[in-house]
Amino acid sequence: MDNISKAGQLYLRLGIHEVPKDCLLYGNLLDAAAGLWCFDVAENGLRSLLAELCRTMPQSVGSEIQVLWLCNAEGALSPLEALSHVVSLETLYTWVEHEWIKGDLGDSLFSLLQPIVDLQSGGRLFAYEALCRVRTGENEVIGAIEAFDVARRAKRLEAMDVAAQLAAIETKIRLMPAGMPLFINAMPCSLVQADYDRHPLFAALRARGVPAQEIVVEIVESERFEDVEMLALACDALRAQGVRIALDDMGSGYNGLSLLGALRPDFVKIDRDLVHGAHNSRVRSVMLEAIISLAQRLGCATVVEGLEDEQDVQLCCDLGVSYAQGYFFAPPDEKPVAEGQLPTVAAARTASPVPQVRLGDFLVPGSVVSVHDGIHAAQRRFRSDTALEFIVVLDDERPVGYLDRKLLRCVGRGNVGRYAKALEHILGATANAHSLFRRLYENGGRNQPWVVTDDAGRYMGTLALLGALDHLTKAGVPSSVHPLTNLPTGPVLRSLIDHRLAGEEWLHLIYLDLDHFKAFNDRYGFVRGDAMIYLLAEILRKTAAALPGVELGHIGGDDFLMVAPASTHGEVEEALEWLITRFHELAIYLYDQHDFQRGYFSTESGGRYPVATLSVAVITGAEVRVTDSVGASARAAQLKRLGKNRQGSVIVVEGKPLHMVPRAGVDGLPAWHAHLERALRSFPALASGQAVDAWFADHPEFELVFRVDSEGMQCGVNWVNPAMRGSIKRGGVGVYRGDRPYFTMLRPGCAAYLSSVYLSRATEDFCLTFCCPVWDADNVLQELWLGDIGLRSLVG
C-alpha cells in the first residue's frame, strides 16, 4: 500500500448490509441492487475515509464487505487485474493502519526468551521458549496476541507464523548455548504441509546447522482447526524430521482432550489461567491434578505456564509436574537468563494418591420409617420433635426415599411410601475426597438428606454436612490457617489465646458468630454461605486494622474471635458497632431481593429467620476471670445465650446491659452506593486506553466494566482493570446477557443497583455487579452499564 497517500477511487460493495451514513454523505451509488458505491478520495484521505466507514459499520461485517482501491497514478486496470486487487474492508483498513504488516515481516519481528525449568531437579534450566514481538515503524513494540490479530485481519497469518519461527531460530543461534532445547510456537495452518523437506522452518534449520532434535514445536491455540486427523498426520511427519511436539494451552480454549488423544504430544503445556492461584482454589487444584494425571498416563511430560507464586510452585512440585515457566523464575527478555540467575525450588514432597474419606466418621443415625408404615406415625414424629427436618424411608434396610415436614400438611391416609420423595444423594461408605467435596459444595445447601449405605446398599445413616465439608476444606492445607478466610484457626489459634492469657496483660476476648447460619445455608447453599463467612472476615480485618494490638482468629464455621488489649476498651465497643453496621449494609446482598426487603427469609421446613444478624460476646474479666482458651469459649457461650433470643444483632459485654445495634442499610442507600454510581457513569468509554487505565487507578474497586444493549447483548469487549489482566479476559463481545438477573429484574425508571453476591467464574472469588441503566424520556431502556466489584474491594 505504497500509494495510500495519493488520490484515487475506493469502490465498496455492501451487498445485503445496511448503508452507513458516510456512504450517503461522501459516496456515489453505482448499483443499488448490488449495493455498489464509489468514493472519490483526495490525497492523504484514504486512511480517514476507511476509519469512518469501519466506525459506522458493525464490527462483525468488516470481513464480509468487499472493496477495491484504485490509485489515479496507476492508470487503468484490466478486469482481471482489478479482481486480484479486491479485498475485504477489514483487510484494506488493516494494511493502511499497520504498514509493517505489508512489508518484509523478517524486518519487524524479533524474539524474547523465557526459561523453562526442571521442577523435579530443583529448578535446573531445561529449555527456553521463544516469544514473538513486533517492532513497528514508529519503534513501538507490540505483543504476539495483538500482532497475530493484525496478521489475521491482513490475510497474512501463515506468513506471520513462519516469520516468527525463523526469528526464533536466529535468536537461538545468537544467544543460546548449543544443545539447549527451544520451544517455538506454530499454528496448525502453517504446520499442515505436503512436503516438510521444503518447509521454511526445516530449511532454516539445515542452512544454519541447528539439529532438529533441539526444537520443540508448540501447537498453539489460534482459530479452531477442524481437521484433527490431518493435524495428527502432520505431527507424525514433524517427528520424522526429528522435532518434538508440545500441545500449548491445555485447559483453555480449543486445546482439549480430543487433541491430546489424537496428537500424542511429547509435552503438554498447562494454561496459566488454570495454574495461577491454584494453591488457593479448590476447583483449579482438582482440575490441575486431573490433567497432570491424564498426561502422565499418556506418557506426556507436563509444563505449567504462568507460575508467579511460591505456593503454586510447591503445589506443582507436589503434583509431579515435570517442567515450569513463569515470572517466578524470570520474565521474557531479549537477553536470556542464565542458569545461575534462576531461583532454586524446594524438593518436592512425596505426592500422595487422591485421599479417600470414611463417611462413617461423619454419620448421624437419622430418623427412619419403613415404606409400609402409616402416614400418621410419621406425622407424630414430626410433631414430637420440632427440630426434625426429614425422615428416611427404608424398604428392607435399603433407602428408597425421604419425608420432610410438609408431610404435616397432608390429610390423607395410607402408607408413607405414597408420600416419599426421591433421594438425590446416596453415597457409599467411602468416597473420593475431591469428587465428594465438589458435590457437597455445589449441592449441599439443599434441604434434603445425604444418605450413606454400605457395600450391600443397606442404610447406615445420614451425613452431617457441615462436619464433612469442614473436614474436606481442611484436608491438604495448613491446619494453622483457615482456607477460606486465611485467619488463624485450630491449635495455632488456641495457642495464641493461651499465650496472651498467660501474660500479665489484661485482655478483652470478643467472640462473634452469625445468627441462624445453618438455616441460611439450607436456604441459599454453600456458595453464599462461604460468601457470608468471607464477608464477615473481611470486615473484621478492616475493623482490626484501626485498633492497635488486636489479633483475629477463625474458630471454625461461623465463629470468629478478636483478641484486644484492655487499653482499647472504649475503642473496641465503638468499633464493634461500626462492624455490625457495615455487616448489615453489605450482607443484604447475599440474600434474594424480596427476602432482605421484608427483613426475613424462610426455609422449606417453614421456619422464618431474620436477615443478617450477629451475636457478639465480649469477655472483659469483670465477673469471671478466664485463664485459658477452653474457659474463654465456655464463658463466651454463656454470654451469647443472653442475647440469642433477641431479634436483631446484639452485643453482650460482660458486666453491662445488652446492647442492640439497629439495622442499617436496608431502607436507605449508603454513601458508597452513590460513589459507585457516579464512578461508573463517568467511565471514559470513548477515550484512549491510557484514560481507561487512569479511571481504573482512581476506582480500583471495579475489576471490569462492560456495556449491554437494550436487547441484552453485550456491546464491545470487557474493559479490564490493569491489576486483573491475566485473571480476567477481555472477551465478552456479542455474549447474550438478557437472561442475567441484573437484566431480567429491570423495571422502567429503575435506578442504579447492586446485584446479589455470586462466585465469579473468571476469578473464582466472590463478586457483585453494579448496574447503571440508561432510560430515555419515555422510560424505555437504551443500554445498561455494568461493573464487576470484588467483595473484598467493596468492604474496602
Side-chain angles (χ1 to χ4, degrees):
M1 293 300 295
D2 297 330
N3 55 14
I4 62 172
S5 62
K6 299 177 182 178
Q9 290 80 42
L10 179 71
Y11 293 88
L12 183 147
R13 185 175 184 274
L14 283 173
I16 63 172
H17 300 292
E18 185 178 350
V19 178
K21 63 178 183 180
D22 293 278
C23 288
L24 301 173
L25 291 174
Y26 309 118
N28 301 308
L29 179 63
L30 302 181
D31 186 338
L36 184 63
W37 291 73
C38 176
F39 299 84
D40 290 316
V41 183
E43 289 188 11
N44 298 310
L46 180 60
R47 185 189 301 270
S48 58
L49 174 61
L50 290 172
E52 282 297 305
L53 289 172
C54 289
R55 184 184 62 81
T56 56
M57 290 183 182
Q59 188 176 3
S60 58
V61 304
S63 60
E64 301 174 10
I65 296 174
Q66 295 177 315
V67 296
L68 171 65
W69 165 242
L70 297 178
C71 173
N72 291 341
E74 292 178 343
L77 294 179
S78 69
L80 192 59
E81 290 174 323
L83 281 175
S84 67
H85 283 68
V86 173
V87 295
S88 70
L89 174 63
E90 178 184 64
T91 298
L92 181 61
Y93 185 47
T94 304
W95 288 350
V96 170
E97 277 293 287
H98 305 277
E99 295 184 21
W100 60 269
I101 195 65
K102 285 289 290 179
D104 184 349
L105 295 176
D107 295 337
S108 303
L109 269 65
F110 66 100
S111 293
L112 304 181
L113 294 177
Q114 186 174 33
I116 299 174
V117 305
D118 186 341
L119 281 183
Q120 301 305 317
S121 66
R124 180 181 59 83
L125 181 62
F126 167 69
Y128 291 97
E129 179 181 0
L131 299 168
C132 172
R133 298 292 185 269
V134 171
R135 188 173 283 111
T136 68
E138 295 78 22
N139 210 31
E140 176 193 7
V141 174
I142 62 176
I145 295 176
E146 182 180 352
F148 274 87
D149 183 57
V150 170
R152 177 190 60 77
R153 289 184 276 119
K155 306 302 182 187
R156 299 205 68 190
L157 194 59
E158 188 173 338
M160 178 81 171
D161 196 38
V162 171
Q165 296 165 21
L166 300 183
I169 296 297
E170 293 302 316
T171 302
K172 175 177 171 57
I173 295 168
R174 287 189 299 107
L175 299 174
M176 288 175 53
M180 179 70 66
L182 177 66
F183 283 64
I184 296 177
N185 293 293
M187 293 184 302
C189 62
S190 70
L191 293 178
V192 178
Q193 298 284 329
D195 185 355
Y196 286 94
D197 286 334
R198 299 183 181 180
H199 192 287
L201 172 63
F202 294 102
L205 293 177
R206 289 192 297 270
R208 305 292 279 157
V210 177
Q213 292 77 13
E214 295 181 12
I215 301 300
V216 180
V217 173
E218 277 191 40
I219 299 173
V220 300
E221 167 190 22
S222 53
E223 297 177 7
R224 188 177 184 90
F225 193 80
E226 297 292 348
D227 198 335
V228 176
E229 184 177 352
M230 182 180 290
L231 184 57
L233 292 173
C235 288
D236 290 340
L238 291 170
R239 288 191 187 91
Q241 297 287 329
V243 304
R244 288 175 284 178
I245 303 296
L247 181 59
D248 196 20
D249 292 333
M250 187 67 187
S252 174
Y254 302 124
N255 289 345
L257 297 179
S258 59
L259 272 183
L260 178 61
L263 304 187
R264 296 173 289 106
D266 303 278
F267 300 89
V268 173
K269 299 194 76 176
I270 302 174
D271 185 71
R272 177 194 184 279
D273 286 347
L274 187 59
V275 176
H276 184 65
H279 74 277
N280 204 28
S281 167
R282 292 175 286 269
V283 176
R284 293 187 194 185
S285 60
V286 170
M287 292 178 63
L288 180 59
E289 183 174 3
I291 291 176
I292 293 167
S293 175
L294 180 61
Q296 290 171 342
R297 292 186 181 189
L298 294 175
C300 310
T302 47
V303 185
V304 293
E305 301 177 292
L307 284 179
E308 299 178 11
D309 188 286
E310 186 173 2
Q311 291 171 289
D312 285 336
V313 174
Q314 190 60 60
L315 173 65
C316 291
C317 287
D318 294 344
L319 292 176
V321 172
S322 306
Y323 306 104
Q325 67 186 106
Y327 277 64
F328 177 83
F329 304 103
D333 203 330
E334 291 189 68
K335 184 178 180 181
V337 174
E339 174 87 56
Q341 299 172 299
L342 292 168
T344 57
V345 177
R349 298 186 287 267
T350 302
S352 57
V354 177
Q356 298 289 314
V357 182
R358 292 188 310 162
L359 297 183
D361 296 339
F362 308 102
L363 289 186
V364 293
S367 182
V368 298
V369 295
S370 168
V371 69
H372 305 295
D373 287 348
I375 181 178
H376 298 304
Q379 288 175 329
R380 282 195 296 271
R381 288 204 201 178
F382 279 123
R383 290 193 187 99
S384 62
D385 186 354
T386 56
L388 183 62
E389 296 180 87
F390 40 71
I391 301 172
V392 178
V393 179
L394 303 180
D395 184 6
D396 193 21
E397 299 187 73
R398 287 170 171 75
V400 294
Y402 77 98
L403 308 167
D404 59 23
R405 298 191 69 85
K406 291 180 181 178
L407 187 70
L408 292 173
R409 305 173 193 170
C410 297
V411 188
R413 298 181 178 180
N415 298 334
V416 296
R418 295 176 53 190
Y419 304 92
K421 299 180 179 180
L423 286 166
E424 293 185 23
H425 309 299
I426 301 179
L427 306 169
T430 60
N432 175 290
H434 293 152
S435 61
L436 175 61
F437 180 85
R438 196 157 51 244
R439 287 185 64 186
L440 284 175
Y441 193 78
E442 292 174 353
N443 304 301
R446 297 178 184 171
N447 191 24
Q448 55 183 274
W450 288 65
V451 172
V452 180
T453 61
D454 62 16
D455 293 339
R458 293 185 295 257
Y459 176 80
M460 294 177 63
T462 59
L463 197 62
L465 292 180
L466 292 180
L469 187 63
D470 191 54
H471 170 79
L472 291 169
T473 302
K474 293 175 181 176
V477 299
S479 60
S480 60
V481 176
H482 195 281
L484 179 62
T485 61
N486 285 320
L487 292 175
T489 190
V492 169
L493 178 58
R494 291 194 294 272
S495 176
L496 165 68
I497 299 170
D498 292 338
H499 176 74
R500 294 286 296 267
L501 287 173
E504 297 182 359
E505 181 185 20
W506 192 264
L507 295 174
H508 286 173
L509 301 178
I510 304 144
Y511 287 78
L512 308 94
D513 71 47
L514 297 160
D515 296 330
H516 316 295
F517 183 69
K518 183 183 182 304
F520 178 84
N521 252 345
D522 289 344
R523 168 68 176 82
Y524 287 106
F526 284 122
V527 172
R528 290 207 200 176
D530 275 7
M532 180 173 280
I533 290 172
Y534 182 88
L535 171 65
L536 181 54
E538 290 302 311
I539 298 176
L540 276 167
R541 280 196 178 89
K542 190 77 174 176
T543 307
L547 298 173
V550 169
E551 295 182 84
L552 300 176
H554 189 167
I555 300 169
D558 59 332
D559 292 306
F560 292 85
L561 173 69
M562 294 176 67
V563 182
S567 58
T568 61
H569 177 65
E571 299 170 82
V572 163
E573 291 194 32
E574 183 178 342
L576 286 175
E577 187 162 345
W578 180 90
L579 178 153
I580 293 175
T581 302
R582 299 289 81 73
F583 181 76
H584 286 166
E585 284 181 355
L586 296 176
I588 58 176
Y589 298 104
L590 296 165
Y591 295 81
D592 290 347
Q593 189 175 28
H594 64 274
D595 282 344
F596 73 71
Q597 283 180 341
R598 66 187 180 183
Y600 68 88
F601 66 96
S602 57
T603 60
E604 288 190 4
S605 61
R608 289 187 175 185
Y609 303 91
V611 168
T613 61
L614 293 173
S615 290
V616 181
V618 183
I619 301 174
T620 64
E623 297 179 355
V624 178
R625 179 67 187 270
V626 294
T627 58
D628 56 35
S629 57
V630 176
S633 180
R635 181 59 178 150
Q638 293 172 358
L639 294 175
K640 281 191 286 189
R641 274 198 293 271
L642 298 176
K644 275 292 186 182
N645 293 326
R646 304 298 180 95
Q647 290 292 320
S649 293
V650 179
I651 302 175
V652 183
V653 181
E654 193 174 24
K656 289 189 175 184
L658 288 177
H659 177 47
M660 308 289 293
V661 180
R663 172 163 299 283
V666 175
D667 299 324
L669 293 176
W672 51 261
H673 192 284
H675 162 79
L676 293 177
E677 181 177 0
R678 286 194 301 270
L680 189 53
R681 292 194 185 278
S682 70
F683 185 81
L686 301 179
S688 65
Q690 291 87 347
V692 170
D693 288 352
W695 184 90
F696 276 116
D698 292 335
H699 307 286
E701 62 272 16
F702 287 93
E703 295 180 348
L704 65 88
V705 172
F706 59 101
R707 185 168 64 90
V708 172
D709 66 19
S710 60
E711 301 300 321
M713 194 71 70
Q714 179 167 334
C715 311
V717 298
N718 300 322
W719 289 283
V720 180
N721 188 323
M724 302 299 294
R725 287 172 188 162
S727 299
I728 301 177
K729 295 182 179 179
R730 274 183 57 80
V733 59
V735 174
Y736 179 68
R737 302 188 182 278
D739 56 350
R740 306 298 169 86
Y742 52 70
F743 191 88
T744 58
M745 293 176 64
L746 280 175
R747 298 291 181 270
C750 174
Y753 68 97
L754 199 59
S755 75
S756 297
V757 173
Y758 60 92
L759 190 63
S760 167
R761 293 180 181 178
T763 63
E764 288 191 14
D765 210 343
F766 299 110
C767 287
L768 305 90
T769 299
F770 193 80
C771 313
C772 285
V774 179
W775 309 92
D776 65 11
D778 298 320
N779 268 342
V780 176
L781 182 67
Q782 300 299 298
E783 61 183 3
L784 190 64
W785 283 89
L786 305 111
D788 285 355
I789 303 171
L791 187 55
R792 177 184 287 117
S793 298
L794 192 62
V795 173

